[in-house]
């Protein structure tokens, strides 16, 4: 059973020879691990036992003159001094004229050449998905500004709907192109929750986001492909909605936020899980033995029938995680089979 088959079977609740694993990391953490394990950065996914590859567009990003901001394909500027994602320039913050905005071209024939190459070379062995991070709500607020877009959602439904629709149509064109290239499933990222609750009411989410997210899921569901989604925070209230519109695998299943036993009790057979080992507490601050215990607990709780789980750190690992804990996690993966 190769990696692609093992992962597909696990996230669709079929029997597998072992639980698949995945470790994602920032560039800084990748270099730290490469130095520790004495391997090239490009060889880390093989060493770590990864099963999935997420492919992106070929847009390289554009640096500001002082190199402190990097602008993405959509024109949003991200702070290069931050290890995570921090949107420091929102190009629509002072401008609501969506007709005059220079929207990116999803039909650019050169946009997905790198993705096409990876799919051809590794698509038989790895479970490959497009990387639709910041897919809808996060794309809207990074374009408009976090606080400003919440105000828009509350008092300007016309503009909010138009912005969401522009984003949706661009993403849909890209989705169809990726499917034509031969991806194995869909991967989306859109954060709707904070540590204790949703960022907005379920009613507002259902009004603005759910119908458009359903449109983005639909091309994959129509092809009987699994849909994985990263959505941070306490999103318990809308999880049934996400399953209803086609979600098959939830990430990050962060243990401090979503109770693992509650997830299993309510969604076994309907929703597989991806993640489970906390990058908020145990990986950066625990001892190696505690990391091994956390891995064991995630597997035993989230995969009681030895399927339905891609076990992984809940989020991309950052440089605050000691290498002794990374090594302990890898050991635990091997010990758990």
């Amino acid at each position: 059973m190769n990696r692609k088959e093992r992962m597909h079977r696990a996230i669709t609740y079929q029997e597998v020879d072992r639980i698949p694993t995945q470790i994602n990391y920032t560039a800084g953490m990748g270099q730290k691990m490469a130095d520790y394990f004495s391997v090239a950065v490009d060889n880390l996914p093989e060493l770590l036992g990864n099963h999935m590859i997420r492919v992106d567009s070929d847009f390289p990003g554009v640096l500001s003159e002082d190199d402190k901001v990097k602008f993405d394909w959509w024109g949003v500027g991200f702070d290069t001094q931050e290890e995570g994602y921090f949107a420091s320039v929102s190009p629509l913050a002072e401008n609501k004229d969506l007709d005059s905005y220079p929207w990116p071209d999803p039909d650019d024939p050169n946009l997905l050449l790198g993705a096409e190459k990876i799919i051809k070379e590794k698509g038989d062995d790895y479970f490959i998905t497009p990387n639709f991070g910041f897919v809808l709500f996060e794309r809207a607020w990074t374009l408009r500004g976090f606080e400003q877009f919440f105000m828009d959602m509350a008092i300007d439904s016309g503009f909010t709907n138009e912005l969401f629709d522009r984003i949706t149509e661009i993403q849909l064109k890209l989705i169809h192109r990726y499917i034509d290239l031969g991806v194995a499933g869909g991967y989306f990222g859109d954060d709707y929750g904070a540590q204790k609750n949703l960022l907005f009411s379920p009613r507002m989410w259902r009004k603005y986001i759910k119908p458009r997210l359903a449109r983005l899921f639909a091309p994959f569901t129509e092809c009987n492909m699994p849909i994985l989604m990263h959505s941070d925070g306490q999103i318990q209230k809308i999880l049934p909605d996400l399953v209803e519109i086609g979600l098959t695998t939830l990430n990050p299943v962060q243990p401090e936020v979503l109770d693992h036993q509650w997830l299993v009790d309510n969604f076994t057979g309907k929703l597989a899980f991806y993640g489970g080992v906390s990058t908020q507490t145990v990986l950066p601050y625990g001892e190696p033995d505690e990391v091994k215990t956390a891995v064991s607990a995630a597997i035993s709780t989230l995969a009681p029938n030895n399927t339905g789980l891609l076990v992984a750190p809940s989020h991309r690992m950052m440089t605050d995680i000691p290498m002794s804990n990374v090594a302990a996690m890898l050991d635990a993966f091997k010990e758990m089979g």
Side-chain angles (χ1 to χ4, degrees):
M1 189 177 295
N2 70 9
R3 283 170 282 210
K4 180 179 182 179
E5 182 182 2
R6 181 180 299 115
M7 178 167 164
H8 183 273
R9 290 179 65 88
I11 63 175
T12 55
Y13 278 93
Q14 300 178 65
E15 183 179 349
V16 291
D17 56 351
R18 62 182 175 86
I19 297 294
T21 58
Q22 182 77 15
I23 297 176
N24 300 321
Y25 42 85
T26 64
M29 188 59 178
Q31 189 59 60
K32 181 178 175 180
M33 289 192 292
D35 293 343
Y36 180 85
F37 292 116
S38 299
V39 299
V41 171
D42 288 346
N43 293 334
L44 276 175
E46 181 76 26
L47 173 77
L48 299 174
N50 283 359
H51 284 63
M52 177 171 63
I53 295 174
R54 301 202 303 260
V55 291
D56 284 292
S57 74
D58 289 346
F59 186 78
V62 178
L63 285 169
S64 61
E65 290 186 3
D66 60 6
D67 292 343
K68 292 184 177 180
V69 178
K70 190 172 186 178
F71 293 88
D72 70 6
W73 186 64
W74 296 80
V76 174
F78 289 87
D79 189 338
T80 60
Q81 311 303 302
E82 295 285 339
E83 189 174 10
Y85 297 113
F86 181 79
S88 57
V89 179
S90 296
L92 289 173
E94 305 296 333
N95 177 22
K96 297 175 74 171
D97 183 0
L98 299 183
D99 289 331
S100 66
Y101 187 70
W103 295 100
D105 179 12
D107 297 314
D108 179 352
N110 299 314
L111 189 64
L112 304 182
L113 295 179
E116 182 178 11
K117 183 173 185 291
I118 291 171
I119 292 168
K120 286 180 178 178
E121 292 177 352
K122 299 185 177 183
D124 289 339
D125 189 34
Y126 285 89
F127 190 92
I128 299 180
T129 71
N131 185 19
F132 281 101
F134 289 77
V135 69
L136 188 56
F137 167 67
E138 287 185 303
R139 179 52 58 197
W141 79 249
T142 54
L143 283 165
R144 182 75 169 130
F146 191 70
E147 293 181 5
Q148 182 57 60
F149 190 62
F150 275 102
M151 293 296 294
D152 293 334
M153 292 173 75
I155 65 175
D156 194 343
S157 61
F159 173 79
T160 299
N161 281 317
E162 185 178 357
L163 180 55
F164 274 138
D165 285 342
R166 298 279 184 125
I167 294 165
T168 300
E169 293 305 320
I170 290 172
Q171 302 286 36
L172 272 173
K173 287 190 175 184
L174 288 177
I175 285 169
H176 286 290
R177 290 186 66 184
Y178 277 116
I179 290 175
D180 289 343
L181 289 178
V183 295
Y187 178 90
F188 297 87
D190 219 21
D191 291 342
Y192 306 131
Q195 195 85 357
K196 297 297 183 181
N197 212 332
L198 288 167
L199 296 172
F200 28 58
S201 70
R203 179 187 60 81
M204 184 173 280
W205 182 86
R206 291 174 184 129
K207 173 184 177 182
Y208 287 125
I209 298 169
K210 181 179 178 180
R212 294 173 174 93
L213 195 61
R215 290 187 64 202
L216 299 179
F217 284 4
F220 294 103
T221 60
E222 290 165 3
C223 295
N224 294 315
M225 291 185 186
I227 296 172
L228 297 80
M229 185 170 190
H230 169 94
S231 192
D232 273 339
Q234 176 48 267
I235 60 169
Q236 189 170 319
K237 295 174 183 176
I238 60 170
L239 266 181
D241 297 80
L242 287 167
V243 173
E244 175 195 328
I245 63 175
L247 181 65
T248 60
T249 305
L250 176 68
N251 172 263
V253 289
Q254 184 182 343
E256 297 88 357
V257 178
L258 289 176
D259 181 75
H260 286 181
Q261 191 59 56
W262 179 86
L263 288 170
V264 169
D265 291 345
N266 287 274
F267 294 101
T268 292
K270 306 175 192 174
L271 189 64
F273 308 110
Y274 163 25
V277 184
S278 176
T279 56
Q280 181 178 357
T281 54
V282 69
L283 280 170
Y285 302 118
E287 296 297 323
D289 285 348
E290 293 174 308
V291 171
K292 290 186 176 183
T293 298
V295 172
S296 177
I299 293 174
S300 62
T301 305
L302 292 170
N305 299 313
N306 295 313
T307 190
L309 173 66
L310 174 64
V311 67
S314 57
H315 300 76
R316 291 192 312 161
M317 294 198 306
M318 296 189 179
T319 52
D320 60 343
I321 296 175
M323 285 308 307
S324 57
N325 284 354
V326 176
M329 180 172 57
L330 290 175
D331 288 343
F333 286 172
K334 293 174 183 176
E335 291 168 7
M336 296 297 115

